[in-house]
Amino acid sequence: MLQTVELETGASPQWSIIWLHGLGADGHDFAPIVPELVRPGWPALRFVFPHAPVRPITINNGVPMRGWYDIVGMDFRSRADMDGVRASVVELDALIDREIERGVPAEHIFLAGFSQGGAVILTAALQRTAPLAGLIALSTYLPEAETARRADNAVQVPIFMAHGTQDPVIPLQIAEHSAAAVRAMGLELQWQSYAMAHQVCAEELTALGDWLQARLQAA
């Protein structure tokens, strides 16, 4: 089981958000946004921020750092080490199972990811056969989008996907292509873009809060 940073917004949470960080960061990276995102009146939430394993990253001259998979080149059609992506999906499934064991129903679990973390959760969504509350994919892309396929028995998972128009790490058109591919596979996706680089902005958090609130209130 991956080591995690955890924050709870109230006692006995019945909702969880498992949030995967980007390359070279760790589970502490997105913890500070919790008070900015959470709104009065929401049910108690457990935020789970796992630390990715440390591994050599090919495009960074093999320097070891925390990453959900190796990046083997610059071409987005083949840059992700898919064995590593799939291994991280298995680790993610274990975290989902742990939340269920703690009493949080699967349909009350959100998956969130930034950059590399987002690539993992989008890949997981295509194979997911049990319900989830939704996916939050920030400044990210779907690995091997041209050949990715959704499992025949995969469930519908609503997705919030947002990207910066000036992102130098993952170009906007790569993210837009990924969003189109996900929609073409039948998944419900809300797309947002913002005048920012490879980051998260206040306007984005407001839109994400609206999206989360609609789902928390509908349950």
Side-chain angles (χ1 to χ4, degrees):
M1 183 73 66
L2 295 171
Q3 291 185 324
T4 61
V5 175
E6 297 189 7
L7 295 173
E8 295 183 0
T9 64
S12 304
Q14 290 296 300
W15 294 82
S16 296
I17 301 179
I18 303 172
W19 199 307
L20 276 56
H21 61 75
L23 178 66
D26 63 19
H28 295 282
D29 196 33
F30 278 92
I33 76 154
V34 171
E36 299 180 47
L37 179 63
V38 173
R39 298 180 181 179
W42 283 9
L45 299 168
R46 178 184 295 119
F47 285 82
V48 178
F49 301 101
H51 301 300
V54 175
R55 67 182 78 224
I57 303 297
T58 299
I59 64 163
N60 289 345
N61 297 315
V63 174
M65 61 184 63
R66 290 195 183 276
W68 298 108
Y69 54 88
D70 188 19
I71 300 176
V72 298
M74 298 304 294
D75 188 339
F76 278 89
R77 292 171 295 183
S78 58
R79 69 181 295 172
D81 165 34
M82 291 307 296
D83 287 340
V85 173
R86 286 186 282 268
S88 287
V89 170
V90 172
E91 297 274 20
L92 180 60
D93 285 341
L95 291 172
I96 293 170
D97 290 343
R98 186 177 67 169
E99 290 309 294
I100 294 170
E101 290 169 5
R102 291 161 128 181
V104 178
E107 58 269 24
H108 284 191
I109 298 173
F110 293 93
L111 304 181
F114 178 82
S115 196
Q116 258 207 350
V120 171
I121 68 165
L122 286 174
T123 301
L126 301 184
Q127 307 302 320
R128 184 73 187 171
T129 58
L132 287 171
L135 262 69
I136 301 159
L138 308 179
S139 299
T140 192
Y141 72 105
L142 176 65
E144 300 189 351
E146 288 79 8
T147 56
R149 295 291 179 268
R150 187 177 171 202
D152 292 339
N153 56 343
V155 295
Q156 176 64 250
V157 183
I159 300 171
F160 177 94
M161 189 170 183
H163 211 85
T165 56
Q166 282 92 49
D167 193 326
V169 178
I170 301 172
L172 178 65
Q173 59 267 32
I174 297 295
E176 290 175 331
H177 178 67
S178 294
V182 169
R183 282 178 172 148
M185 286 183 259
L187 288 168
E188 171 198 331
L189 185 144
Q190 177 179 325
W191 170 263
Q192 307 277 155
S193 62
Y194 302 94
M196 64 178 184
H198 196 62
Q199 62 191 100
V200 174
C201 68
E203 187 182 0
E204 178 181 17
L205 289 181
T206 298
L208 174 55
D210 291 343
W211 183 88
L212 281 168
Q213 182 158 318
R215 279 147 189 83
L216 293 170
Q217 290 179 338

